[in-house]
Amino acid sequence: MGTKIAQIKNGSGMSEINVLIAGHGTMDDRKGATLTAALCPGSFDPPTNGHLDVINRAIEVFDRVVVGVVHNPSKTPFFVAEERVAMLDEMVAGRAEVQAFEGLLVDFARVKKVDVVVKGLRAISDFDFELQMAQMNYTLAGMETLFIPTNPQWSYLSSSLVREVARLGGDVDTLVPDNVAKALRAKVGKDE
Ligand code: PNS
């Protein structure tokens, strides 16, 4: 199976985070099972109110929710995985498990024993790529994806726009949870 835990350093090299690197497997053993555990995956760079809305709604529907924070070693994120995990941990306050992962989403899903992936759809423009990913995950491992229509209140919101607004000194307080707004201000040097 090849599942292992790796440690990655955060941006300043001060502390470490466990990242689950999952090996390959199949999902055949859960065919016909009731869906009770869900995975909400994403980059969450940074997490927004839109992400939190989808995670909260998944928590209402499923017995167990895992928030999977993708760690891609070939990319330089705005917030390192450890920071994103810490922000999400505070946001879900014990109602979901938050963990970083590296590698294929379906392998992480199998290791965490989740039955279904839950993703938000903001607009039809999201649909093309989300459909491709959902179909790929189904082909790879029979992993089902359920889409939740994003609350219209947040349909314009994206992590990349939030980063840009924060970088340019705009107010992000209504777009992200308080802890994320604070982290953004600290990151762009606008901490008062
Ligand atoms: O928040 P995002 O950037 O839309 O999330 C994308 C994510 C993390 C769900 C996607 O990049 C992903 O699943 N990455 C893990 C690698 C993988 O499994 N790739 C094949 C998916 S079809």
Side-chain angles (χ1 to χ4, degrees):
M1 292 269 190
T3 301
K4 60 179 177 158
I5 301 281
Q7 296 215 305
I8 56 168
K9 296 239 184 255
N10 74 2
S12 57
M14 293 300 284
S15 60
E16 294 176 329
I17 183 174
N18 286 331
V19 176
L20 199 137
I21 303 176
H24 299 280
T26 72
M27 299 250 169
D28 284 350
D29 56 345
R30 57 162 192 80
K31 288 279 179 222
T34 310
L35 302 181
T36 59
L39 170 63
C40 294
S43 307
F44 303 112
D45 192 23
T48 67
N49 286 344
H51 290 130
L52 184 58
D53 175 63
V54 170
I55 293 168
N56 280 341
R57 285 156 71 192
I59 289 171
E60 278 173 27
V61 172
F62 292 94
D63 294 341
R64 186 168 67 87
V65 171
V66 177
V67 179
V69 178
V70 76
H71 166 64
N72 184 345
S74 62
K75 282 191 184 165
T76 307
F78 194 65
F79 289 104
V80 294
E82 183 195 44
E83 293 170 315
R84 287 176 275 148
V85 167
M87 285 186 274
L88 283 157
D89 248 336
E90 210 176 326
M91 286 159 59
V92 302
R95 296 169 305 133
E97 179 190 351
V98 184
Q99 189 167 2
F101 74 98
E102 192 179 320
L104 283 177
L105 176 141
V106 290
D107 291 328
F108 179 66
R110 180 181 47 76
V111 172
K112 299 313 289 182
K113 296 192 179 350
V114 297
D115 315 298
V116 64
V117 172
V118 171
K119 295 216 73 184
L121 279 183
R122 288 167 298 190
I124 196 71
S125 50
D126 278 346
F127 186 71
D128 273 356
F129 191 46
E130 291 296 342
L131 180 66
Q132 272 185 302
M133 288 197 285
Q135 289 172 327
M136 179 60 81
N137 288 333
Y138 185 78
T139 304
L140 287 174
M143 174 54 76
E144 296 289 6
T145 300
L146 297 183
F147 293 113
I148 289 185
T150 297
N151 185 324
Q153 191 185 357
W154 309 120
S155 61
Y156 64 93
L157 201 52
S158 69
S159 295
S160 56
L161 274 184
V162 167
R163 287 197 304 268
E164 182 168 323
V165 170
R167 263 200 206 107
L168 298 174
D171 184 357
V172 294
D173 286 4
T174 57
L175 311 177
V176 296
D178 289 349
N179 64 324
V180 178
K182 196 171 166 214
L184 278 164
R185 280 194 294 271
K187 187 70 92 183
V188 300
K190 299 260 181 231
D191 228 354
E192 59 279 15

